[in-house]
Amino acid sequence: MENNAALINDQILESPKDSILQEDLEQLIKNPSVPFDMLKDKTVFVTGATGLLGSQTVRALACANRLLGSGIRILAMARNSQKAEKVFGSLLNRGDVKLVHADVNAEITCEEPVDYIVHGASATSSRYFVSNPVETIKTAVDGTVHVLEFAKQKQVKGFLYLSSLEVYGTPAADAGLIEESYSGYIDPLAVRSSYSQGKRMAECICAAYASQYGVPVKIARLSQTFGAGVEYDDGRVFAEFARCAIEKKDIVLHTAGKTERSYCYTRDAAAAMLLILVKGEAGSAYNVTNMDTRISIANMAQLVCDIFPESGIRVTFDMPKDVASFGYNPEMVIALDAGRLMELGWKPAVNLKEMFQRLAASMENSRN
């Protein structure tokens, strides 16, 4: 891949089929907190590149190349080449994005120099955590070791691991705002814990590589994140709610919906990730969430009904006997404190109502 920003075909947009996502990307490039200048002429390697945040990262870096002349070389790693070609389309022909066909569960090889790594490859479906707990754990642990070994070999300048609020487990009732030093209870014998325990162990491995080998690892603990770029058939709760509004179907909850948490819009999360990658403290974790979006699942379902009154939908409840098979977490209240991230200069821009409006518009684009 040539190190020359002038060689890219700047007529090819990063998301030509989704105007909402394209608008997000171009607004992200204007965000003064994102240090694109520090990524100029660097090579960024992204694992899990076809996932929601992995693809957002690839496209954001490509957008910086087109609009800012950043000259970033983007290596997008994916185990499914056909899916990657579908996700990125003509962007793979532009000259600044290269597809790397590999699986994090095996040793990673790449001849090109690499300056930064964003490690986002992970299982993401709650049902998958329950039906495939061994694979969920192995991807978290073995996959992260393989990516860290690759980072050590390449002597990268920065390494970002995408973790989750689930590392906090079930907080105590009086926990209040959750800072990065907090640790709640996780039942190691619960099959659903394959994901949360896997993330905890992966973080520990990251810290070990930072301490023993000097790999400059930073960790982003993301709250549930959604917005433009979510696929129409995504099975997570926010997508189900938006899909119900689009298809004019009532929202059916299989629990009382008492779990309460905060969320983050995809564009805000991508800005946070790139900021932490470049300016975060090595060996440290940062909560990534919009603290103003805190809401229960039941209230969020009602909010979606209120945001889209033309859909004529309502919230109903259907409590199955085998609710554990759905892969839901125990009901809890978990409110992350994003203060440490905000001290780096980040602040979220999109509120919960706009998050759902843009999510639904983007999903409709992907459906057509």
Side-chain angles (χ1 to χ4, degrees):
M1 194 182 304
E2 295 288 343
N3 180 17
N4 188 337
L7 291 182
I8 73 166
N9 182 345
D10 61 7
Q11 300 303 307
I12 298 176
L13 297 178
E14 296 74 32
S15 180
K17 295 181 179 180
D18 186 346
S19 60
I20 304 298
L21 178 53
Q22 186 63 44
E23 183 180 57
D24 274 350
L25 295 169
E26 295 182 8
Q27 289 184 6
L28 176 59
I29 301 309
K30 300 173 184 177
N31 188 329
S33 72
V34 184
F36 286 109
D37 57 323
M38 297 179 69
L39 294 170
K40 186 174 176 61
D41 298 328
K42 299 296 191 294
T43 298
V44 181
F45 190 96
V46 181
T47 76
T50 59
L52 177 61
L53 291 176
S55 62
Q56 194 96 351
T57 301
V58 169
R59 289 188 172 104
L61 296 172
C63 193
N65 284 345
R66 182 173 59 86
L67 296 181
L68 303 178
S70 296
I72 302 167
R73 297 175 297 280
I74 307 156
L75 303 177
M77 178 177 153
R79 64 179 180 176
N80 187 327
S81 296
Q82 288 185 328
K83 180 179 180 181
E85 289 168 2
K86 180 181 178 182
V87 168
F88 296 114
S90 60
L91 186 59
L92 294 174
N93 302 321
R94 204 174 78 173
D96 54 344
V97 179
K98 178 181 178 181
L99 185 62
V100 177
H101 182 212
D103 188 334
V104 292
N105 290 308
E107 181 182 355
I108 299 171
T109 59
C110 177
E111 297 300 322
E112 299 183 45
V114 174
D115 299 296
Y116 292 95
I117 293 176
V118 176
H119 176 32
S122 174
T124 57
S125 164
S126 292
R127 287 181 182 268
Y128 185 87
F129 306 156
V130 173
S131 62
N132 296 273
V134 173
E135 289 79 5
T136 299
I137 293 169
K138 290 181 70 175
T139 298
V141 176
D142 296 345
T144 299
V145 168
H146 290 141
V147 182
L148 286 164
E149 281 291 326
F150 178 67
K152 183 178 72 169
Q153 172 198 340
K154 294 296 184 180
Q155 298 183 317
V156 297
K157 296 177 175 66
F159 181 109
L160 179 67
Y161 176 62
L162 301 189
S163 189
S164 165
L165 87 166
E166 292 208 23
V167 299
Y168 294 117
T170 303
D174 60 351
L177 287 177
I178 303 297
E179 297 182 348
E180 288 80 359
S181 59
Y182 185 84
S183 181
Y185 175 71
I186 297 175
D187 180 1
L189 298 184
V191 174
R192 175 61 174 73
S193 298
S194 59
Y195 180 74
S196 45
Q197 288 281 55
K199 286 290 187 183
R200 274 192 178 179
M201 192 65 232
E203 284 197 14
C204 189
I205 294 167
C206 286
Y209 269 78
S211 174
Q212 188 168 341
Y213 301 120
V215 179
V217 175
K218 300 92 180 277
I219 297 167
R221 290 180 182 157
L222 293 141
S223 62
Q224 200 163 59
T225 300
F226 65 89
V230 170
E231 294 181 358
Y232 190 82
D233 59 354
D234 191 295
R236 285 170 286 188
V237 64
F238 51 79
E240 290 183 5
F241 289 178
R243 195 161 48 245
C244 285
I246 293 169
E247 298 178 2
K248 297 180 171 55
K249 295 179 179 178
D250 288 347
I251 296 174
V252 181
L253 297 184
H254 300 295
T255 71
K258 293 180 180 178
T259 288
E260 190 174 311
R261 62 168 72 97
S262 55
Y263 297 83
C264 194
Y265 188 63
T266 41
R267 184 177 80 224
D268 289 332
M273 288 160 48
L274 293 173
L275 177 62
I276 297 167
L277 173 67
V278 175
K279 291 190 174 181
E281 179 183 351
S284 295
Y286 296 83
N287 289 334
V288 181
T289 194
N290 182 337
M291 295 165 65
D292 294 333
T293 63
R294 180 173 166 181
I295 194 171
S296 72
I297 297 295
N299 287 340
M300 187 167 75
Q302 185 58 51
L303 176 66
V304 171
C305 296
D306 295 340
I307 292 172
F308 304 101
E310 69 282 359
S311 68
I313 62 173
R314 61 191 180 93
V315 180
T316 64
F317 294 85
D318 178 18
M319 312 289 198
K321 292 181 180 180
D322 62 339
V323 67
S325 67
F326 285 79
Y328 299 143
N329 261 328
E331 288 188 340
M332 70 183 81
V333 174
I334 179 166
L336 301 189
D337 186 341
R340 192 158 190 263
L341 174 59
M342 295 176 79
E343 288 176 359
L344 287 182
W346 177 86
K347 61 179 180 179
V350 184
N351 63 33
L352 195 57
K353 179 179 179 180
E354 187 180 358
M355 287 168 65
F356 271 107
Q357 289 171 330
R358 298 185 71 79
L359 168 66
S362 175
M363 287 176 66
E364 287 204 89
N365 283 340
S366 67
R367 182 189 189 188
N368 297 330

Coordinates of all heavy atoms in Angstrom, one line a residue, residues 123-133 136 191-192 194-195 235-236 240 254 320 322-329:
A123 N -16.9 -12.2 20.3 CA -18.3 -12.6 20.2 C -19.1 -11.4 20.7 O -18.7 -10.7 21.6 CB -18.5 -13.8 21.0
T124 N -20.3 -11.2 20.1 CA -21.1 -10.1 20.5 C -22.6 -10.4 20.8 O -23.3 -9.6 21.3 CB -21.1 -9.0 19.4 OG1 -21.6 -9.6 18.1 CG2 -19.8 -8.4 19.1
S125 N -23.0 -11.6 20.5 CA -24.4 -12.0 20.7 C -24.6 -12.7 22.0 O -23.9 -13.7 22.3 CB -24.9 -12.9 19.5 OG -26.1 -13.6 19.8
S126 N -25.6 -12.2 22.8 CA -25.9 -12.9 24.0 C -26.3 -14.3 23.9 O -25.9 -15.2 24.7 CB -27.0 -12.1 24.8 OG -26.6 -10.8 25.2
R127 N -27.1 -14.6 22.9 CA -27.4 -16.0 22.6 C -26.2 -16.9 22.3 O -26.1 -18.0 22.7 CB -28.4 -16.1 21.4 CG -29.8 -15.6 21.8 CD -30.8 -15.8 20.6 NE -32.1 -15.3 20.8 CZ -33.1 -16.1 21.3 NH1 -32.9 -17.3 21.6 NH2 -34.3 -15.5 21.5
Y128 N -25.2 -16.3 21.6 CA -24.0 -17.0 21.3 C -23.2 -17.3 22.5 O -22.6 -18.4 22.7 CB -23.2 -16.2 20.3 CG -21.9 -16.9 19.8 CD1 -22.0 -17.8 18.7 CD2 -20.7 -16.7 20.4 CE1 -20.9 -18.4 18.2 CE2 -19.6 -17.4 20.0 CZ -19.7 -18.2 18.9 OH -18.5 -18.9 18.4
F129 N -23.2 -16.3 23.5 CA -22.4 -16.6 24.7 C -23.0 -17.8 25.4 O -22.2 -18.5 26.1 CB -22.6 -15.4 25.7 CG -22.2 -14.0 25.1 CD1 -22.8 -12.9 25.7 CD2 -21.4 -13.9 24.1 CE1 -22.5 -11.6 25.2 CE2 -21.1 -12.6 23.5 CZ -21.6 -11.5 24.1
V130 N -24.3 -18.0 25.3 CA -24.9 -19.2 26.0 C -24.7 -20.5 25.2 O -24.4 -21.5 25.8 CB -26.4 -18.9 26.3 CG1 -27.1 -20.1 26.9 CG2 -26.5 -17.7 27.3
S131 N -24.9 -20.4 23.9 CA -24.8 -21.6 23.1 C -23.4 -22.0 22.8 O -23.1 -23.2 22.5 CB -25.6 -21.4 21.8 OG -25.0 -20.3 21.0
N132 N -22.4 -21.0 22.8 CA -21.0 -21.3 22.5 C -20.1 -20.7 23.5 O -19.2 -19.9 23.1 CB -20.7 -20.8 21.1 CG -21.5 -21.5 20.0 OD1 -21.1 -22.6 19.5 ND2 -22.6 -20.9 19.6
P133 N -20.2 -21.1 24.8 CA -19.4 -20.4 25.8 C -17.9 -20.7 25.6 O -17.1 -19.8 25.9 CB -20.0 -21.0 27.1 CG -20.6 -22.3 26.7 CD -21.1 -22.1 25.3
T136 N -16.6 -18.5 22.9 CA -16.6 -17.1 23.4 C -15.4 -16.8 24.3 O -14.7 -15.8 24.1 CB -17.9 -16.8 24.3 OG1 -19.0 -17.0 23.4 CG2 -17.9 -15.4 24.8
V191 N -23.1 -19.9 32.7 CA -22.6 -20.1 31.3 C -22.6 -18.7 30.6 O -21.6 -18.4 29.9 CB -23.5 -21.0 30.5 CG1 -23.1 -21.0 29.0 CG2 -23.5 -22.4 31.1
R192 N -23.5 -17.8 31.0 CA -23.5 -16.5 30.4 C -22.3 -15.7 30.7 O -21.9 -14.7 30.1 CB -24.8 -15.7 30.8 CG -24.9 -14.3 30.4 CD -25.0 -14.1 28.9 NE -25.2 -12.7 28.5 CZ -24.4 -11.7 28.6 NH1 -23.2 -11.9 29.2 NH2 -24.7 -10.5 28.2
S194 N -19.4 -16.5 30.3 CA -18.3 -16.7 29.4 C -17.8 -15.4 28.7 O -16.6 -15.2 28.5 CB -18.7 -17.7 28.3 OG -19.9 -17.1 27.6
Y195 N -18.7 -14.5 28.5 CA -18.3 -13.2 27.9 C -17.7 -12.3 28.9 O -16.6 -11.8 28.7 CB -19.6 -12.6 27.3 CG -19.3 -11.2 26.6 CD1 -18.6 -11.1 25.4 CD2 -19.7 -10.0 27.2 CE1 -18.4 -9.9 24.8 CE2 -19.4 -8.8 26.6 CZ -18.8 -8.8 25.4 OH -18.5 -7.5 24.8
G235 N -29.4 -8.6 16.4 CA -30.3 -9.1 17.4 C -30.2 -8.4 18.8 O -31.0 -8.8 19.7
R236 N -29.4 -7.4 18.9 CA -29.4 -6.7 20.2 C -30.6 -5.9 20.5 O -31.3 -5.5 19.6 CB -28.1 -5.9 20.3 CG -26.9 -6.8 20.5 CD -25.5 -6.1 20.4 NE -25.2 -5.8 19.0 CZ -24.1 -5.3 18.6 NH1 -23.1 -5.0 19.5 NH2 -23.9 -5.1 17.3
E240 N -33.6 -4.4 18.0 CA -35.0 -5.0 18.1 C -36.0 -3.9 18.3 O -37.1 -3.9 17.6 CB -35.0 -6.0 19.2 CG -34.2 -7.3 18.9 CD -34.4 -8.3 20.0 OE1 -35.2 -8.1 20.9 OE2 -33.7 -9.4 19.9
H254 N -39.2 -9.8 27.3 CA -39.2 -11.1 28.0 C -38.7 -11.0 29.4 O -38.6 -12.1 30.1 CB -38.4 -12.1 27.1 CG -38.8 -12.2 25.7 ND1 -40.1 -12.8 25.4 CD2 -38.3 -11.9 24.5 CE1 -40.2 -12.8 24.1 NE2 -39.2 -12.2 23.6
P320 N -41.1 -15.8 29.4 CA -40.9 -17.3 29.2 C -40.3 -17.9 30.4 O -39.6 -17.3 31.2 CB -40.0 -17.3 28.0 CG -39.1 -16.1 28.1 CD -40.0 -15.0 28.7
D322 N -38.1 -20.3 30.2 CA -36.7 -20.5 30.0 C -35.9 -19.2 29.6 O -35.2 -19.2 28.7 CB -36.5 -21.5 28.9 CG -37.1 -21.1 27.5 OD1 -37.9 -20.2 27.6 OD2 -36.7 -21.6 26.5
V323 N -36.2 -18.2 30.4 CA -35.6 -16.9 30.1 C -34.1 -16.9 30.0 O -33.4 -16.1 29.3 CB -36.0 -15.8 31.1 CG1 -35.5 -16.1 32.5 CG2 -35.7 -14.4 30.6
A324 N -33.4 -17.8 30.7 CA -32.0 -18.0 30.7 C -31.4 -18.3 29.3 O -30.3 -17.9 28.9 CB -31.5 -19.0 31.7
S325 N -32.2 -19.0 28.5 CA -31.8 -19.3 27.1 C -31.6 -18.1 26.2 O -31.0 -18.2 25.2 CB -32.8 -20.3 26.5 OG -34.0 -19.7 26.3
F326 N -32.2 -17.0 26.6 CA -32.1 -15.7 25.8 C -30.7 -15.1 26.1 O -30.3 -14.2 25.3 CB -33.2 -14.8 26.2 CG -34.5 -15.1 25.6 CD1 -35.3 -16.1 26.2 CD2 -35.0 -14.5 24.5 CE1 -36.6 -16.4 25.7 CE2 -36.2 -14.8 23.9 CZ -37.0 -15.8 24.5
G327 N -30.0 -15.5 27.1 CA -28.7 -15.0 27.4 C -28.7 -13.6 28.1 O -27.7 -12.9 28.0
Y328 N -29.8 -13.3 28.7 CA -29.8 -12.0 29.4 C -29.0 -12.0 30.6 O -28.9 -13.0 31.3 CB -31.3 -11.6 29.7 CG -32.2 -11.5 28.6 CD1 -33.5 -11.9 28.6 CD2 -31.8 -10.9 27.3 CE1 -34.4 -11.8 27.6 CE2 -32.7 -10.8 26.3 CZ -34.0 -11.3 26.4 OH -34.8 -11.2 25.3
N329 N -28.4 -10.8 31.0 CA -27.7 -10.6 32.2 C -28.7 -10.5 33.4 O -29.9 -10.2 33.1 CB -26.9 -9.3 32.2 CG -25.4 -9.6 31.8 OD1 -24.9 -10.6 32.2 ND2 -24.8 -8.7 31.1

